[in-house]
Amino acid sequence: MSLNNSHSTLEDLSDDILMDIFDFLYPAMYIYHSFFNLNQRFNKIISDARLLISLDLSQIINPSNFAYHSQIMLPNMSKQLISLRLSNEYKFYEQIHQFLLHVRIGHFQVLRQLSLIQITFDQLRRILADILSLNKLIRLDIDMFDGSGVTPNELNTIANTLLSKSQSIKFLNLRFNREIFICEHASTSLTHLTLDACYSSDLPQLLSLCSNLSSLILKVEQSRRRSPLSNITNFDSKFSRYPLSSRMCSYLTYFSLDINDLTLSEVKYFLSSMPYLSEFRLEGLTYDIDFSKSDLWQNILENQAKQLKQFDIFGLRIWLGNNADDDEENHNLITQITQSFDSNHKYWGKYWLVDQTHKLRPNHLNLTLHAKSL
């Protein structure tokens, strides 16, 4: 009995098996680099709508290489591209500008995730209608590098349009490097929102207009800069126009707050609208020493935020007083704060850290805190 020796080649495999193999090739652009225009069969396979492709073009630093991708590859992916990342980070060529010269975002109707890094305002305004036409888009990340020459009204219009007009976006991350004023009701599809800057006086209105959110990440600026020596407890008048309801954010379970000159009373006030909050994260800068008082945090956890499962303060910088030269007094105060977060405490345990920010700034401290069991 003789055995026939046979040798199989890649082309002997069925189309379905080849497609399964292509699914494991990463990054997806290698599929086109290796098999595009090899023959008609492979062209048909790599153009099949069942072969879903995610592309991160932000790391392509060669302009001619990027031109090949945007002019040759991308036009063939209209029914396959589900994720796209573009960036203007490399200064020797504007990637997003080059992309828009040859391709329309609206061409990719199955796109689910889009990231535009350091996009200019003019570029964003140009493609806004195309973005809103993507009815399968789930996640949108926008990082605007240069907003110079753009009026606040223009930025607010773009932000509110994205917030309210899309019928599919669930995750919206807007980093405009400028304060944003939200004045439109968020789309019912939106569940996760990130804003890199807004004023504290606008936050109640934002919460009321985004009541369907389950996750909110904010950087909040004080509405008016004030002296650290001024009264930091009287803030109620700022929020009288938009009172918060205890059930306003009844879906919100995650809240991350990066503060700049807010008080603990303000943070407590915001938490009052979030009855089912399970995770809270805090960082930034404050002049309110109350943030360093263990008993006040315990009161909030037990009476204001009863559903919390995880609570973290990460590197919160707290201004201790006006005398930066009295290092001994500040050191004693830090010792008192440290002792208030006792290692045997039912909340804090060993997951906390209090230290001076820098020897040149002895009247500041950094507070890092993790509640171990809530």
Side-chain angles (χ1 to χ4, degrees):
M1 180 178 180
S2 62
L3 297 175
N4 293 325
N5 293 327
S6 61
H7 299 279
S8 298
T9 65
L10 184 64
E11 293 190 355
D12 292 328
L13 301 176
S14 68
D15 290 358
D16 288 338
I17 293 178
L18 286 174
M19 194 171 298
D20 288 339
I21 293 174
F22 290 162
D23 274 335
F24 287 97
L25 290 181
Y26 184 84
M29 62 183 70
Y30 289 165
I31 301 173
Y32 274 77
H33 290 170
S34 303
F35 299 103
F36 184 63
N37 277 342
L38 186 63
N39 56 48
Q40 289 186 354
R41 182 189 176 208
F42 277 101
N43 281 356
K44 180 180 178 181
I45 295 172
I46 64 177
S47 299
D48 194 300
R50 292 174 295 171
L51 183 63
L52 303 179
I53 295 175
S54 298
L55 287 182
D56 181 357
L57 302 182
S58 63
Q59 301 302 313
I60 298 180
I61 62 175
N62 188 310
S64 59
N65 192 12
F66 180 77
Y68 167 78
H69 287 83
S70 59
Q71 298 177 43
I72 306 299
M73 287 177 48
L74 282 170
N76 295 292
M77 299 180 179
S78 62
K79 298 180 180 179
Q80 299 170 282
L81 190 64
I82 60 170
S83 178
L84 177 64
R85 179 183 173 91
L86 300 169
S87 175
N88 284 333
E89 289 178 292
Y90 296 106
K91 304 301 181 184
F92 42 83
Y93 81 107
E94 277 197 22
Q95 186 178 95
I96 297 177
H97 172 71
Q98 293 298 320
F99 176 88
L100 295 177
L101 288 178
H102 306 286
V103 188
R104 285 189 58 185
I105 289 289
H107 181 63
F108 306 102
Q109 286 298 313
V110 297
L111 199 63
R112 301 174 189 172
Q113 180 171 325
L114 176 63
S115 297
L116 303 170
I117 309 304
Q118 295 195 3
I119 189 172
T120 67
F121 177 77
D122 286 338
Q123 291 167 353
L124 179 57
R125 180 169 51 185
R126 176 180 170 185
I127 64 174
L128 181 61
D130 273 353
I131 292 176
L132 295 176
S133 74
L134 301 172
N135 56 22
K136 295 185 182 300
L137 189 65
I138 296 175
R139 183 185 182 100
L140 177 63
D141 299 282
I142 295 179
D143 182 344
M144 184 177 294
F145 171 68
D146 185 9
S148 60
V150 182
T151 68
N153 284 340
E154 289 177 311
L155 283 178
N156 290 333
T157 298
I158 293 285
N160 280 279
T161 299
L162 290 170
L163 188 76
S164 62
K165 302 302 182 185
S166 171
Q167 300 303 312
S168 62
I169 296 177
K170 293 184 178 181
F171 301 82
L172 179 61
N173 301 320
L174 299 179
R175 297 178 176 86
F176 285 178
N177 298 306
R178 297 263 292 274
E179 290 76 18
I180 300 299
F181 176 67
I182 301 301
C183 59
E184 299 279 350
H185 278 280
S187 168
T188 55
S189 66
L190 188 65
T191 57
H192 296 68
L193 176 63
T194 299
L195 291 179
D196 71 340
C198 73
Y199 287 124
S200 60
S201 56
D202 298 332
L203 187 51
Q205 178 166 330
L206 185 152
L207 294 176
S208 68
L209 296 173
C210 302
S211 57
N212 290 321
L213 294 178
S214 61
S215 173
L216 180 60
I217 302 174
L218 289 176
K219 182 176 181 180
V220 179
E221 302 278 347
Q222 186 53 254
S223 298
R224 295 181 179 85
R225 294 301 300 172
R226 57 192 172 193
S227 167
L229 300 180
S230 65
N231 180 4
I232 60 175
T233 60
N234 183 19
F235 66 94
D236 292 335
S237 60
K238 292 185 299 180
F239 304 122
S240 58
R241 185 179 177 187
Y242 299 103
L244 290 179
S245 163
S246 61
R247 299 283 173 174
M248 182 178 290
C249 301
S250 56
Y251 296 100
L252 198 67
T253 58
Y254 179 85
F255 186 35
S256 178
L257 195 57
D258 184 345
I259 64 173
N260 185 6
D261 191 16
L262 266 68
T263 69
L264 182 61
S265 295
E266 289 171 314
V267 172
K268 181 178 178 181
Y269 181 66
F270 299 143
L271 291 176
S272 69
S273 68
M274 307 169 186
Y276 300 109
L277 194 67
S278 61
E279 187 172 351
F280 178 47
R281 188 177 190 274
L282 182 68
E283 60 182 308
L285 166 69
T286 181
Y287 295 101
D288 186 2
I289 193 66
D290 282 352
F291 279 96
S292 65
K293 296 180 179 179
S294 172
D295 58 329
L296 295 181
W297 279 117
Q298 181 175 343
N299 179 267
I300 290 175
L301 296 179
E302 293 180 347
N303 300 293
Q304 199 77 32
K306 297 181 180 180
Q307 300 297 320
L308 272 183
K309 301 300 181 185
Q310 183 171 337
F311 169 59
D312 294 280
I313 296 177
F314 183 76
L316 179 66
R317 190 150 59 96
I318 304 173
W319 190 80
L320 297 177
N322 198 37
N323 188 359
D325 298 323
D326 195 345
D327 191 55
E328 182 177 356
E329 181 180 344
N330 290 322
H331 178 74
N332 291 336
L333 183 55
I334 291 176
T335 301
Q336 294 176 20
I337 294 170
T338 301
Q339 292 174 349
S340 73
F341 293 100
D342 183 74
S343 60
N344 294 320
H345 195 282
K346 65 177 181 178
Y347 290 140
W348 317 131
K350 63 181 181 179
Y351 302 102
W352 56 268
L353 176 67
V354 180
D355 61 6
Q356 285 185 323
T357 303
H358 195 278
K359 290 183 178 180
L360 297 179
R361 301 187 110 179
N363 60 339
H364 287 74
L365 67 83
N366 272 355
L367 175 63
T368 296
L369 182 66
H370 173 72
K372 63 174 182 178
S373 178
L374 296 178

